[in-house]
Amino acid sequence: MATTTPLTPPDQHREPPPRLGGALWWALCATAALGLAVFSALGPHRVWGAAAALGYLAAALLTARGRSPRIAGAVALAGAVPLPLLWLLAVDLAQLEVRVVARSAGLLLAEGTPYLQHPVVPEDFNPYLPGMAVFGLPEALAGPGPFTGPRLWMGAAFLGALAFALPAGDRSAPLRWIAACPLVALPLAVGGVDLPVAGLMCLGLALAGRGRAGAAGLALGAAAALKWTAWPAIPVAVALLAAASRSTSAGRPADGGEGRGDSRRPADRMEGLGGSRRPADRAAARCGLVALLTAAALVLPAALRDPGAFWAHVVDFPLGLTDAVSSAASPLPGHLLATHVPGGRTLALLLLGVSALLVALSLLLRPPATASDAAARLALGLLLAIAFMPASRFGYLVHPLVLAVWAAARQTPGHPLLVRVGKQVSR
């Protein structure tokens, strides 16, 4: 008889990470959502908390009664994203970031810059890079409506980029789980500027892992034009491509996770390298150059239109150097140091710089070998940055969370790859 045996690409040698989705997990999600509904001072967050708590609680009960994880996950997702989103759209409620993006798009069309010239109160500031205004253009051009709001376009950009970043044939399950996670479901419903940044970073790393240096540069450059938090992804992708191209030249697969079931030689799979004999750093340089040029093309026109306003909005305000105090004040180490320790702001910035230096050294001394490794390294770097920034908030943790879950999803295929190793024999 014919026999089959699973292939074990390099990314699958380790034990797959445990998948959350049991009754305890959904109960914890329900508790977190209910706590937000009770204690949050923000109306959109209270609405989300009440609706999401019902969805998560129903998912926990379904799981406890033995229903399939797919059904429980669908119920949790329905309660955590579409239900509160539709309600918030009906009553025209959104968190502040949505209004800031919509206003910045109107300013960009009218004045060539998305930044107010003389901001006074925190609501006047736009701490995002000019590319973020793109998500407000539908509303600025067509007026307010159910399909023109920035939160819908930010959510669509996140889900689309993440779907293309996941391995083909294994996208729906991890995408549903990520969307149902409270830290992602909340900004999907109330509006979150960090989601498209995280999605594009995953897409850029995925393309770099496949050897598509130019496409990776475009994705990462677009992310870098949205928010400063995307900029660390560029050197990580460059290090990944440099290491991958060197290993390809040595005759080893560049990224086992992306090469599943591909019978071509590793050099042929590295589409963006044009062959294994090119200099090892050429693909990495192309990716970095394309990323920088893309970001510059999207950022510089608006920045040069009013350099003073640009600096005040995207540098001084996030660092707490303006009279107006940023609302990003979650009790993370950097904020606690800046608030309660004499000279703490300088110390927090010093710790931030040391963390960045250590991550940079790790890229030079031990570059990531696969896209999953690159995502884990980037997640660690962003986690340290979020911890030590003087003005930070818990919502920023969506970046390392999405990167970590995406890396885990790449290492846990939904279906084993099978290859025929025997032939049918007759007696």
Side-chain angles (χ1 to χ4, degrees):
M1 294 186 62
T3 58
T4 58
T5 185
L7 294 177
T8 55
D11 268 3
Q12 298 177 41
H13 285 311
R14 66 196 79 177
E15 288 295 323
R19 289 197 176 189
L20 299 176
L24 178 59
W25 165 249
W26 296 127
L28 290 173
C29 292
T31 302
L34 186 60
L36 195 65
V38 173
F39 296 108
S40 177
L42 301 175
H45 288 195
R46 291 197 301 269
V47 171
W48 177 86
L54 293 175
Y56 291 139
L57 181 59
L61 294 174
L62 288 171
T63 304
R65 292 170 64 91
R67 296 299 180 92
S68 71
R70 182 185 295 271
I71 294 176
V75 171
L77 181 62
V81 180
L83 180 59
L85 175 60
L86 292 174
W87 177 263
L88 291 169
L89 287 173
V91 299
D92 194 24
L93 271 179
Q95 65 182 20
L96 177 61
E97 286 89 333
V98 176
R99 295 195 296 273
V100 170
V101 172
R103 183 189 65 210
S104 69
L107 288 171
L108 182 65
L109 292 177
E111 302 178 14
T113 174
Y115 306 107
L116 289 172
Q117 192 171 15
H118 301 293
V120 178
V121 297
E123 291 77 11
D124 292 340
F125 283 89
N126 171 17
Y128 316 122
L129 292 173
M132 192 67 72
V134 169
F135 298 110
L137 289 178
E139 183 172 314
L141 293 170
F147 302 109
T148 60
R151 85 181 96 180
L152 295 178
W153 295 99
M154 290 188 291
F158 165 70
L159 294 174
L162 193 61
F164 281 109
L166 289 167
D170 190 31
R171 292 170 175 168
S172 60
L175 197 62
R176 285 198 307 270
W177 189 90
I178 293 172
C181 181
L183 206 57
V184 175
L186 173 63
L188 276 175
V190 303
V193 297
D194 295 297
L195 290 180
V197 180
L200 285 170
M201 286 194 294
C202 290
L203 179 59
L205 293 180
L207 292 169
R210 298 166 190 162
R212 300 177 59 183
L218 284 173
L220 294 175
L226 301 180
K227 205 174 180 186
W228 290 120
T229 47
W231 283 81
I234 297 176
V236 172
V238 168
L240 169 63
L241 279 164
S245 58
R246 291 190 186 101
S247 66
T248 302
S249 297
R252 295 188 300 273
D255 189 344
E258 289 297 332
R260 300 180 188 133
D262 195 337
S263 60
R264 292 176 297 168
R265 292 180 297 110
D268 293 332
R269 287 203 304 269
M270 298 291 289
E271 302 172 24
L273 300 181
S276 62
R277 298 304 177 188
R278 288 190 177 187
D281 294 332
R282 187 171 298 180
R286 186 190 312 131
C287 175
L289 181 61
V290 171
L292 292 177
L293 290 177
T294 301
L298 296 173
V299 171
L300 285 181
L304 296 177
R305 180 71 173 80
D306 192 339
F310 173 81
W311 189 265
H313 282 263
V314 304
V315 178
D316 289 343
F317 181 68
L319 292 178
L321 302 178
T322 60
D323 294 333
V325 179
S326 171
S327 59
S330 296
L332 293 165
H335 177 71
L336 295 176
L337 285 173
T339 305
H340 301 293
V341 176
R345 183 177 300 279
T346 301
L347 179 58
L349 293 176
L350 179 62
L351 290 171
L352 182 63
V354 170
S355 300
L357 179 61
L358 291 176
V359 173
L361 286 175
S362 77
L363 294 176
L364 292 174
L365 299 177
R366 191 175 179 181
T370 67
S372 297
D373 294 338
R377 192 80 55 88
L378 180 58
L380 175 61
L382 291 176
L383 186 62
L384 292 172
I386 292 165
F388 294 127
M389 283 186 348
S392 187
R393 56 167 53 120
F394 289 120
Y396 297 163
L397 294 173
V398 71
H399 293 289
L401 170 72
V402 170
L403 285 164
V405 173
W406 174 74
R410 285 170 48 85
Q411 297 175 5
T412 311
H415 305 284
L417 299 176
L418 301 177
V419 61
R420 185 176 300 271
V421 295
K423 295 182 179 180
Q424 186 171 355
V425 294
S426 57
R427 297 181 180 178

